[in-house]
Amino acid sequence: MERRIEIRLTQTEQKSYEKGKVIRMPGPDPLRIGELVRPELETAIHEKYGEDTELTFSVAQVTDVRLLGSFPEKAPAVRAWVQGLLADALENLTDVDRSRPLPDGRAAPDR
């Protein structure tokens, strides 16, 4: 049975003020953040829904969790559980520096 959980993350911006003007800079790359939290999320998702459940990340206008395939619980319950996992993983995330490699040793994706 094929299942997929797609976590859609938004591109944030960082604001600073210089001489009374707002300076907007892009925030951390959402796909890089996804790759940094992937090991923690995949482990929990595979334990609960099986190894055949795929986890993907994408960039969107609104943060959301999308489901493909059938899950043992109703979609709102699965989404809420995944959102809780994501919130915990992001809370524990301390370093999104692009110069550091991803957990699996790959270089950070270019935007």
Side-chain angles (χ1 to χ4, degrees), residues 1 6 28-29 41-42 46 51-52 62 64 72 78 80 87 91 95 97 101-103 109-110:
M1 174 185 306
E6 177 186 2
D29 177 12
L41 297 182
E42 258 181 352
H46 288 166
E51 294 288 325
D52 61 340
V62 177
D64 189 23
V78 177
E91 188 173 304
D95 189 6
D97 182 7
L102 295 171
D110 291 327

Side-chain angles (χ1 to χ4, degrees), residues 37-85:
V37 298
R38 176 184 295 278
E40 184 177 340
L41 297 182
E42 258 181 352
T43 299
I45 287 169
H46 288 166
E47 284 176 7
K48 186 163 185 163
Y49 297 115
E51 294 288 325
D52 61 340
T53 305
E54 180 184 6
L55 174 63
T56 62
F57 292 92
S58 63
V59 180
Q61 294 295 321
V62 177
T63 299
D64 189 23
V65 174
R66 294 210 172 164
L67 307 173
L68 175 71
S70 60
F71 288 81
E73 297 99 8
K74 294 197 179 270
V78 177
R79 282 190 195 99
W81 181 76
V82 172
Q83 288 167 343
L85 281 179

Side-chain angles (χ1 to χ4, degrees), residues 13-27:
E13 63 179 26
Q14 297 176 338
K15 296 177 187 176
S16 62
Y17 297 90
E18 192 173 299
K19 298 180 183 174
K21 292 187 179 185
V22 177
I23 308 295
R24 297 183 199 300
M25 303 279 296

